[in-house]
Amino acid sequence: MLELLAKNHKTWVNMVLGMGASPDIAKDIVQSMYLRIDKYVKDEKKIMYKNDEVNGFFIYVTLKNMYISYKKSKHLNFEVQDEEASKDVEGSLDSNIEMERAFIRLVKKID
């Protein structure tokens, strides 16, 4: 499972950068995400669309929550950037197709 996640490493880092994190913090959060997924996700089917496709929406939400937790732990005033992209993703829970479309729009905004 971690091997499949790592294939999109640059995408995950870019997601956190798009939220307003510095490059070093973004890399740290992504590394922590790998550890958290490995520790807490026992059934990898729960974060996969198919056997070989990672659920990007799940990873986005995980990274967003981890970034918010990081900022709160530092007692920093902050605002997660790119609210429009996160609304696109959060508002499309109705189906996997809508989630995939929202994820693609998010990635395009990050790149």
Side-chain angles (χ1 to χ4, degrees):
M1 173 176 49
L2 291 178
E3 295 82 17
L4 290 173
L5 277 172
K7 287 181 181 180
N8 295 314
H9 180 76
K10 185 176 178 181
T11 300
W12 311 142
V13 172
N14 285 336
M15 281 182 177
V16 183
L17 288 171
M19 294 173 198
S22 69
D24 289 336
I25 297 302
K27 290 175 188 174
D28 287 346
I29 289 173
V30 171
Q31 290 299 322
S32 295
M33 178 270 298
Y34 291 136
L35 296 172
R36 184 171 286 189
I37 294 293
D38 188 53
K39 181 176 181 180
Y40 294 111
V41 177
K42 302 302 179 200
D43 182 6
E44 65 184 54
K45 292 177 186 174
K46 292 184 177 187
I47 67 161
M48 306 296 278
Y49 284 134
K50 299 176 185 171
N51 289 337
D52 61 346
E53 187 179 351
V54 176
N55 181 337
F57 176 74
F58 181 88
I59 301 302
Y60 170 78
V61 171
T62 301
L63 290 170
K64 180 178 171 185
N65 289 335
M66 292 178 74
Y67 179 63
I68 289 170
S69 293
Y70 163 77
K71 295 296 261 183
K72 285 181 179 178
S73 73
K74 299 297 181 188
H75 301 290
L76 301 172
N77 292 328
F78 71 97
E79 181 177 318
V80 175
Q81 296 177 3
D82 204 4
E83 288 182 22
E84 181 181 329
S86 65
K87 286 179 186 174
D88 284 347
V89 174
E90 291 170 353
S92 63
L93 293 173
D94 295 333
S95 73
N96 284 342
I97 294 171
E98 289 180 18
M99 285 194 299
E100 186 65 27
R101 288 179 184 158
F103 175 69
I104 290 168
R105 287 193 304 271
L106 175 66
V107 170
K108 286 180 181 177
K109 288 182 181 190
I110 292 171
D111 289 342

